[in-house]
Amino acid sequence: MSTLKANDNKVDLEHHHRPASFDNSTLDDGDFNRDEWLRTQGEKNPFYVHDLTWTPAEEKEIVRTFDFRVLSWIALMFLFMQLDRGNMGNALTDNFMEDLNISLNTVNLGSTIFTLTFCLFEIPSNIIIVRAGPQRWIPFLMVLWGLATASQFFLKDRVTFLICRALVGMFEAGYIPGIALYLTSYYKRSEMAVRLSIFWSTLAVANSIAGVLAYGILHMRGVAGKAGWRWLFLFEGLATVIIGLLSFLMLPGGPTATKGFFRHNGYLTPRQEQIAMTRLIRDDPTKADTRRKSVSKKHFFKALLSPKIWPNILIGFFGLLPFSPLTILSPLIIKNLNLGVPALVSNLLVIPGYVISLSVMTFVSWSSDRHNERAFHGALASTYYAICILALATLPADANKFMLYFALIFAMGGQTCWHPVNAAWIAGNTAPVGKRSIALAMYIISVNACDMVSVNLFRDEDAPRFIRGFWILFGALLFTIVLFIFQRYHLMYINRKRDEKTKDWTSEDWRHYNETTKDEGDDHLSFRYNY
């Protein structure tokens, strides 16, 4: 195949726009008709221009447009989702359990029920997203879970509490993997970890804002004869509903469908639309077909049974076991440390932990994309997390209370530090889109299913230090480190086997394979996994 090159100020397509799934070391003898392969795939998309060239500056401008116009709004949506998910921890500091006459074990049961319904509806919701389009389905879900959150204003007892937690979990299902899938329609594989880190960084921002909002709103206890936590659920739930309704107008259908109510002329010029689509297809030819269609049974079961996906799924389960206990119980743990501040101030004292979390996660994701490396970044970030959890487990009972506070804050700083890297790893290593959607749903199920285990590790009888729970979390993080390293060498082995199988193939061999094989996406012998 002849290399497509423009003049010096244009992009060298051979080196700058080769799909990441193709390994340079295996592309001899006519590059197995890569030019023909891309042309065939590109014919499925009217915006693909096979011989199109562009400058790096043009591409950066398009990516910045997507960051500002699409990613920023998605981050705002996620911020309100996290406010709705995290306000239970704030409510606990305002006599929530006493008002409803329930115990911490009942609160843990509510978290388990929330997670159970979240996981049960995750895959069905993600199947609907592929068919209906995320720009429609995700705002619809947001309105529903906002209403469910606001309805907690009317809680009366244990039963109504558990019902509301089930509804919130059911309506939030599908949002996160749907957003991750949605972003793959705008960004290349090498751009995903940073974008997902920006997306998840709003988790830290939301948790910080939640502390400030809770501090103010919980002081409304007594207004209209209602507890402060009731006003907290009502205000944050209704705000979510408003953002959900606006999202129907704000989210475009894709990089070439940016016209809408607030964007009459669209975000991109016709040339920019061609560049946006062509660069995606050159990075991953499976993205050429943008038609909405149902997820096939074949793709569903290929994702569900793939041994190449499950190590990443287990990483999510074991690596994020500490997340929910630290998020939900950190204000209560700080309150029990008796630092000499009012109980409601404990909601503000968790903010430094979320600032550290934002900083660490952003750096790890940036470095991972920059070096195009996933496994070692995840393993090193998990090591930091494990050391912090170990400190909480081993500090003596008579340790200085401020030392315990700082240990907790730095542990909170490791909560999601590798999470975007692992999600980008899955998204980049799984194709086509139907299989990718199920794989991302499986991953989000795993990181939420661990909540059903993790929140029940912290029992009433272990308060206030919860030593036993922290030891279990430390063991889970050690296993996570092993999984990261295993997955790296597992994928290296698969790539090497494909290299060995195809190293002597001629262009005719590749042509015959492409015409006769049923392999597709990441099962195609030309695909090389990132690690």
Side-chain angles (χ1 to χ4, degrees), residues 133-154:
Q135 76 278 13
R136 297 188 183 94
W137 183 246
I138 291 174
F140 177 68
L141 290 178
M142 194 171 187
V143 170
L144 292 181
W145 89 60
L147 291 173
T149 298
S151 69
Q152 292 175 112
F153 177 87
F154 304 101

Side-chain angles (χ1 to χ4, degrees), residues 92 105 119 136 164 183 195 227 280 348 358 366 408 427 434 444 449:
L92 291 176
N105 291 343
C119 293
R136 297 188 183 94
C164 281
L183 291 177
R195 270 69 198 182
L280 287 179
L348 301 178
L358 173 61
W366 170 81
L408 176 63
I444 300 303

